[in-house]
Amino acid sequence: MKPNTTTRREFAASCAAFGLRANESAAPLRVIDTHAHFYDPARPQGVPWPPKDDAILYQTTLPARYRKLTQPLGIAGTIVVEASAWLEDNQWVLDLAKENPFIVGLVGRLDPGTAEFCNHLARFRKNRLFLGVRVNAGALAERVMLPAFVADMKRLRDAGLQLDVVGGPTMLVDVVRLSDQIPALRIVIDHLPFDPPKDAAVRTSADRAMRELSGRPAVFAKISSVLRRSGGRVPIELSAYRSALDDVCNIFGADRVIYGSNWPVSDRIAEYAAVLRVVREYFAEKGPEAAEKYFRQNSMAAYRWIDRGA
């Protein structure tokens, strides 16, 4: 299966309407993409993710491919968010970073709340590119009130590291619970804006949690899931997404929203250039200061990534 070809044609037409080529940046920003994945199914040990039957994702996905795709678009660096649950794949990404200075950090995949976490954290935090860990919604729901998990989250905080949380709107209640216990822990909510829950009670609970998080200065919103398939196509017009973007930005404010592409998973919906263009157009309307914050400055506050001069 190939990426959506209709989206490609529509995106080229949109670029032409603005007098741009499809590979041109719309603004001279040195953008930091806070959400990319690298992996190589051709390794002798293979990969635990993505599955072999995923024709779009199951291919060699390494820094050279990403760099070729994104450098013409003004992407100056990326943070890798580890999707593999294999411990040594954290080291594999850190080894990739040695030869690729545009990788400004790694959000690793460890297992907080378990006996092994402390030693694993001590090992990886020695590398200055190790910025934090990722936890999915299921693990967060199961462990958020457990003393061992909370203790490990405090270890993250004390080490100056952060937490990415991956899930949907039901997860927001647990994010509030964690933030209640450790207010200074920097938490990044991945892949906003969420689709509104269909169940009214769940929607009310998620909305209440989101409003509560608006007052938590250590909680950041990663706007990395904007484009949607609708009516057999993927609209690339900002008008299709403005309301959802307004909702997130109004809640978190100009200082706590950050850019992420979720590449290559984003290829399931549209090409990288189209994903970037919608949010670039949205923040261009807000002015250069807001755009600079979203595409670069806020990610430094959230992740404390390393500027390697790439």
Side-chain angles (χ1 to χ4, degrees), residues 173-189:
V173 172
D174 295 316
V175 176
V176 171
R177 290 171 177 157
L178 180 58
S179 179
D180 281 342
Q181 297 176 87
I182 317 174
L185 176 65
R186 287 174 284 116
I187 302 172
V188 177
I189 303 171

mmCIF file of all heavy atoms in Angstrom, residues 173-189:
data_model
loop_
_atom_site.group_PDB
_atom_site.id
_atom_site.type_symbol
_atom_site.label_atom_id
_atom_site.label_comp_id
_atom_site.label_asym_id
_atom_site.label_seq_id
_atom_site.Cartn_x
_atom_site.Cartn_y
_atom_site.Cartn_z
ATOM 1 N N VAL A 173 -7.254 11.694 32.518
ATOM 2 C CA VAL A 173 -7.553 11.615 33.953
ATOM 3 C C VAL A 173 -6.337 11.104 34.714
ATOM 4 O O VAL A 173 -5.999 11.605 35.798
ATOM 5 C CB VAL A 173 -8.778 10.716 34.195
ATOM 6 C CG1 VAL A 173 -8.979 10.481 35.687
ATOM 7 C CG2 VAL A 173 -10.032 11.329 33.578
ATOM 8 N N ASP A 174 -5.642 10.119 34.144
ATOM 9 C CA ASP A 174 -4.461 9.570 34.801
ATOM 10 C C ASP A 174 -3.283 10.532 34.736
ATOM 11 O O ASP A 174 -2.441 10.547 35.638
ATOM 12 C CB ASP A 174 -4.097 8.226 34.169
ATOM 13 C CG ASP A 174 -5.169 7.175 34.404
ATOM 14 O OD1 ASP A 174 -5.660 7.085 35.543
ATOM 15 O OD2 ASP A 174 -5.523 6.469 33.443
ATOM 16 N N VAL A 175 -3.219 11.348 33.696
ATOM 17 C CA VAL A 175 -2.186 12.376 33.637
ATOM 18 C C VAL A 175 -2.378 13.373 34.775
ATOM 19 O O VAL A 175 -1.416 13.794 35.425
ATOM 20 C CB VAL A 175 -2.196 13.089 32.274
ATOM 21 C CG1 VAL A 175 -1.185 14.234 32.259
ATOM 22 C CG2 VAL A 175 -1.895 12.103 31.146
ATOM 23 N N VAL A 176 -3.634 13.735 35.043
ATOM 24 C CA VAL A 176 -3.924 14.631 36.168
ATOM 25 C C VAL A 176 -3.491 13.975 37.482
ATOM 26 O O VAL A 176 -2.862 14.622 38.338
ATOM 27 C CB VAL A 176 -5.424 14.987 36.202
ATOM 28 C CG1 VAL A 176 -5.770 15.738 37.495
ATOM 29 C CG2 VAL A 176 -5.804 15.819 34.988
ATOM 30 N N ARG A 177 -3.803 12.706 37.651
ATOM 31 C CA ARG A 177 -3.433 12.000 38.882
ATOM 32 C C ARG A 177 -1.922 11.989 39.085
ATOM 33 O O ARG A 177 -1.422 12.182 40.204
ATOM 34 C CB ARG A 177 -3.968 10.574 38.842
ATOM 35 C CG ARG A 177 -5.482 10.471 38.970
ATOM 36 C CD ARG A 177 -5.954 9.065 38.711
ATOM 37 N NE ARG A 177 -7.398 8.945 38.891
ATOM 38 C CZ ARG A 177 -8.147 7.992 38.339
ATOM 39 N NH1 ARG A 177 -7.569 7.069 37.588
ATOM 40 N NH2 ARG A 177 -9.441 7.970 38.551
ATOM 41 N N LEU A 178 -1.188 11.752 38.016
ATOM 42 C CA LEU A 178 0.260 11.736 38.132
ATOM 43 C C LEU A 178 0.788 13.129 38.439
ATOM 44 O O LEU A 178 1.658 13.307 39.305
ATOM 45 C CB LEU A 178 0.877 11.204 36.843
ATOM 46 C CG LEU A 178 2.399 11.122 36.813
ATOM 47 C CD1 LEU A 178 2.923 10.237 37.945
ATOM 48 C CD2 LEU A 178 2.882 10.608 35.463
ATOM 49 N N SER A 179 0.276 14.122 37.744
ATOM 50 C CA SER A 179 0.704 15.504 37.981
ATOM 51 C C SER A 179 0.365 15.962 39.399
ATOM 52 O O SER A 179 1.110 16.729 40.006
ATOM 53 C CB SER A 179 0.062 16.432 36.950
ATOM 54 O OG SER A 179 0.432 17.767 37.148
ATOM 55 N N ASP A 180 -0.754 15.497 39.943
ATOM 56 C CA ASP A 180 -1.103 15.817 41.327
ATOM 57 C C ASP A 180 -0.014 15.350 42.283
ATOM 58 O O ASP A 180 0.323 16.044 43.251
ATOM 59 C CB ASP A 180 -2.424 15.135 41.715
ATOM 60 C CG ASP A 180 -3.650 15.856 41.188
ATOM 61 O OD1 ASP A 180 -3.540 17.038 40.824
ATOM 62 O OD2 ASP A 180 -4.727 15.224 41.136
ATOM 63 N N GLN A 181 0.531 14.172 42.015
ATOM 64 C CA GLN A 181 1.517 13.589 42.922
ATOM 65 C C GLN A 181 2.919 14.166 42.722
ATOM 66 O O GLN A 181 3.694 14.265 43.681
ATOM 67 C CB GLN A 181 1.565 12.068 42.724
ATOM 68 C CG GLN A 181 0.249 11.377 43.057
ATOM 69 C CD GLN A 181 0.310 9.885 42.763
ATOM 70 O OE1 GLN A 181 0.732 9.098 43.596
ATOM 71 N NE2 GLN A 181 -0.100 9.511 41.563
ATOM 72 N N ILE A 182 3.241 14.557 41.460
ATOM 73 C CA ILE A 182 4.583 15.055 41.162
ATOM 74 C C ILE A 182 4.426 16.285 40.270
ATOM 75 O O ILE A 182 4.631 16.221 39.054
ATOM 76 C CB ILE A 182 5.445 13.980 40.464
ATOM 77 C CG1 ILE A 182 5.270 12.607 41.133
ATOM 78 C CG2 ILE A 182 6.931 14.384 40.485
ATOM 79 C CD1 ILE A 182 5.975 11.488 40.410
ATOM 80 N N PRO A 183 4.067 17.420 40.828
ATOM 81 C CA PRO A 183 3.765 18.597 40.002
ATOM 82 C C PRO A 183 4.930 19.069 39.135
ATOM 83 O O PRO A 183 4.702 19.649 38.066
ATOM 84 C CB PRO A 183 3.408 19.664 41.052
ATOM 85 C CG PRO A 183 2.988 18.907 42.257
ATOM 86 C CD PRO A 183 3.817 17.667 42.263
ATOM 87 N N ALA A 184 6.161 18.825 39.569
ATOM 88 C CA ALA A 184 7.320 19.326 38.827
ATOM 89 C C ALA A 184 7.773 18.391 37.710
ATOM 90 O O ALA A 184 8.667 18.743 36.930
ATOM 91 C CB ALA A 184 8.487 19.585 39.767
ATOM 92 N N LEU A 185 7.180 17.210 37.613
ATOM 93 C CA LEU A 185 7.547 16.286 36.537
ATOM 94 C C LEU A 185 7.067 16.839 35.205
ATOM 95 O O LEU A 185 5.881 17.129 35.029
ATOM 96 C CB LEU A 185 6.922 14.912 36.783
ATOM 97 C CG LEU A 185 7.135 13.870 35.678
ATOM 98 C CD1 LEU A 185 8.612 13.504 35.553
ATOM 99 C CD2 LEU A 185 6.286 12.625 35.944
ATOM 100 N N ARG A 186 7.983 16.998 34.247
ATOM 101 C CA ARG A 186 7.596 17.464 32.924
ATOM 102 C C ARG A 186 6.947 16.318 32.155
ATOM 103 O O ARG A 186 7.566 15.262 31.955
ATOM 104 C CB ARG A 186 8.810 18.008 32.173
ATOM 105 C CG ARG A 186 9.282 19.366 32.695
ATOM 106 C CD ARG A 186 10.565 19.823 32.036
ATOM 107 N NE ARG A 186 11.710 19.096 32.565
ATOM 108 C CZ ARG A 186 12.492 18.281 31.855
ATOM 109 N NH1 ARG A 186 12.260 18.092 30.579
ATOM 110 N NH2 ARG A 186 13.511 17.672 32.429
ATOM 111 N N ILE A 187 5.705 16.533 31.753
ATOM 112 C CA ILE A 187 4.921 15.519 31.048
ATOM 113 C C ILE A 187 4.534 16.071 29.679
ATOM 114 O O ILE A 187 4.033 17.189 29.575
ATOM 115 C CB ILE A 187 3.650 15.155 31.833
ATOM 116 C CG1 ILE A 187 4.002 14.642 33.230
ATOM 117 C CG2 ILE A 187 2.832 14.106 31.074
ATOM 118 C CD1 ILE A 187 2.792 14.440 34.131
ATOM 119 N N VAL A 188 4.756 15.272 28.638
ATOM 120 C CA VAL A 188 4.358 15.643 27.282
ATOM 121 C C VAL A 188 3.265 14.685 26.827
ATOM 122 O O VAL A 188 3.472 13.468 26.788
ATOM 123 C CB VAL A 188 5.553 15.587 26.309
ATOM 124 C CG1 VAL A 188 5.092 15.918 24.889
ATOM 125 C CG2 VAL A 188 6.657 16.540 26.753
ATOM 126 N N ILE A 189 2.103 15.246 26.506
ATOM 127 C CA ILE A 189 0.983 14.437 26.009
ATOM 128 C C ILE A 189 1.130 14.320 24.504
ATOM 129 O O ILE A 189 1.053 15.307 23.770
ATOM 130 C CB ILE A 189 -0.364 15.079 26.364
ATOM 131 C CG1 ILE A 189 -0.484 15.285 27.874
ATOM 132 C CG2 ILE A 189 -1.522 14.220 25.846
ATOM 133 C CD1 ILE A 189 -1.695 16.099 28.281
#
